[in-house]
């Protein structure tokens, strides 16, 4: 059996509501389906959590930070929650094409 490896997508968010929905849709539209999204809410005070929670997908995991941290610390904390063989980073104001993971993951094998 040739099972595709799990990819942990790390998304750090601090008040990212402006572009968050589009960014999340670009993850959900991936044609590579074996992924988990580790959404690290870096103590947002906007509607970021509300936007994320509208998406009902068991692959999305929400974590709220007790205190705001710099990006590299937030990413390191989020990576501790990851279960994937590979890690990918996506910022809340970025978009992926639907074939981003399906093109990239085979290059690592």
């Amino acid at each position: 059996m040739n099972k595709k490896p799990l990819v942990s997508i790390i998304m750090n968010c601090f008040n990212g509501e402006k572009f968050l929905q589009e960014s999340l849709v670009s993850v959900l539209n991936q044609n590579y389906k074996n992924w988990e999204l580790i959404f690290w809410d870096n103590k947002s005070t906007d509607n970021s959590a509300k936007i994320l929670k509208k998406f009902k997908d068991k692959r999305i995991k929400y974590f709220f930070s007790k205190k705001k941290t710099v990006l590299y610390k937030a990413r390191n904390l989020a990576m501790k929650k990851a279960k994937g063989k590979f890690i990918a980073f996506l910022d809340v104001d970025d978009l992926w094409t639907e074939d981003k993971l399906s093109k990239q993951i085979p290059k690592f094998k």
Side-chain angles (χ1 to χ4, degrees):
M1 183 173 159
N2 186 14
K3 188 174 181 199
K4 294 182 179 193
L6 179 66
V7 177
S8 295
I9 303 164
I10 306 294
M11 182 181 275
N12 179 65
C13 179
F14 176 70
N15 293 341
E17 71 181 357
K18 185 174 181 181
F19 301 108
L20 180 57
Q21 178 146 338
E22 290 174 278
S23 188
L24 291 167
V25 168
S26 79
V27 172
L28 290 165
N29 287 340
Q30 290 298 298
N31 54 29
Y32 186 97
K33 300 296 184 191
N34 196 20
W35 53 263
E36 65 175 354
L37 176 65
I38 307 298
F39 186 88
W40 192 264
D41 187 337
N42 202 356
K43 208 157 170 98
S44 294
T45 57
D46 66 356
N47 289 314
S48 295
K50 190 175 183 180
I51 292 167
L52 177 80
K53 291 175 181 178
K54 287 181 185 177
F55 292 87
K56 306 294 183 199
D57 191 301
K58 63 182 174 150
R59 297 172 293 179
I60 298 173
K61 292 153 177 100
Y62 176 80
F63 299 93
F64 186 80
S65 182
K66 292 178 183 174
K67 66 177 188 170
K68 185 173 183 314
T69 60
V70 295
L71 180 59
Y72 80 90
K73 284 185 181 179
R75 283 183 172 173
N76 285 339
L77 291 167
M79 285 189 335
K80 289 180 182 178
K81 306 293 186 184
K83 293 181 170 68
K85 181 175 181 179
F86 299 107
I87 302 275
F89 294 100
L90 178 62
D91 293 326
V92 296
D93 59 350
D94 290 336
L95 301 174
W96 282 354
T97 60
E98 67 183 17
D99 60 352
K100 189 258 194 225
L101 292 175
S102 64
K103 284 184 172 180
Q104 191 174 36
I105 295 306
K107 304 291 183 193
F108 292 109
K109 289 185 175 185

